[in-house]
Amino acid sequence: MAVSGFEGFEKRLELNFSGEDGLIAATENGLRDLDFEVIQQVLSEVQCTVVSALSNTCMDSYVLSESSLFVYPTKIIIKTCGTTQLLKSIPLLVSHAHHLLGLHVTSCRYTRGSFIFPKSQPFPHTSFKDEVHYLNLTLPSHLCYRKARVLHPSKKSSSSHCHAWHVFCASDHQHAHLFDDNNNDERDDNGHDDHGGAFTMEVCMTDLDQGLAEKFFGGGEVTAREMTWATGIGEINPNQVVCDFAFDPCGYSMNGIDGGYYSTIHVTPEEGFSYASFECNGELEEEILLEDGRVNVYDMLEKVVQVFRPAKLSVAMTGATRSVSTRLRSVVESFGLTRRSCSGDDQFPGSGKVVFQTFSTSRRK
């Protein structure tokens, strides 16, 4: 392991909003009406910039100099790597949403893995304790349902194989229990609620196959689009529209949007601290292909592992059931990785269940 290098593990922040009546009309743009100058101001506080953008009728997506930003009418997701100060975006986002758009925040979810270089992180990301303290001080008091937890690997698993998963969730009274067991258990074809079994899957991969990682070195000679298709990333969800960016001399980021669904990939390929992440959202009821042709979460995860062939991998599912996690385990273990731990499965306000699994194998020579 290198003494120092670029921090690939991202911090992820999701804020949900609503109007004063608790709703926002489907025809309203909501947060999407924030001027680009406001977006830039927020990102400046975080210490990153926009390098590429893509929109459809459901959302605006931005590839950042350090990861990604997604803006829906009532939801904003920011994911940043390196030594960015992600949580410093909260005061500006909450203030601008309220004063410029008449929206108030209803829930917050913050997640991250274990930093490779934790001593390089600036405040408030110096420790999870500091992050939670900052969140508790910064978030409005009406987000009164709050929970913070570190999902550790099980005691029988070696720390050399596994990373921990850090979760903080806060919600107001109205949205605190939307995803509790009665709304988050498995459903039949006609039994889903208004949230349709929504999930978010966050995959973190380290110790990437060296030959595959080398495909993300460009040096200005390889375009982002060439990387997308040469590596197989373009086939993960053929239905999505991709916005990609190749960094010089190495590194890669992409956002893919498919209606109201997104996926995002970020790659730090340097040997010694190689890292890649994949995140997507979707519906738990999906099978191999839905009637409208959308690819399911299991198929996407299989293709992601094939692209990077990591020696270590973790999967965090928010809004998951045990059966979903079992199927995800089967997908990962088909590549020769062994599950080292499975933790979580408890409720978080405004988010539902979070199940965290870690996998590893011996490093290839």
Side-chain angles (χ1 to χ4, degrees), residues 3 6 61 63 75 85 98-99 110 119 125 134 151-152 170 192 199 221 264 280 300 321 323:
V3 174
F6 185 80
S61 75
V63 176
K75 176 170 65 179
Q85 295 171 285
H98 177 67
H99 292 104
Y110 173 71
K119 293 183 179 180
H125 301 286
Y134 185 87
L151 305 182
H152 290 285
H192 58 77
F199 73 83
E221 298 180 0
T264 184
C280 69
M300 287 191 287
T321 61
S323 64

Side-chain angles (χ1 to χ4, degrees), residues 2 7 9 26 36 42 54 99 107 124 127-128 146 148 150 217 219 221 229 247 258 264 273 297 302 321 345 349 363:
E7 180 60 66
F9 274 92
F36 183 64
V42 172
L54 179 67
H99 292 104
S107 67
S127 70
F128 189 54
R146 302 185 181 191
V150 180
F217 283 80
E221 298 180 0
W229 291 102
F247 295 90
D258 178 11
T264 184
F273 50 94
V297 63
E302 180 180 4
T321 61
D345 202 24
R363 174 30 90 205

Side-chain angles (χ1 to χ4, degrees), residues 34-52:
L34 289 173
D35 290 339
F36 183 64
E37 289 74 16
V38 172
I39 298 293
Q40 289 179 308
Q41 180 188 9
V42 172
L43 295 178
S44 176
E45 193 71 19
V46 176
Q47 298 185 347
C48 60
T49 59
V50 173
V51 298
S52 189

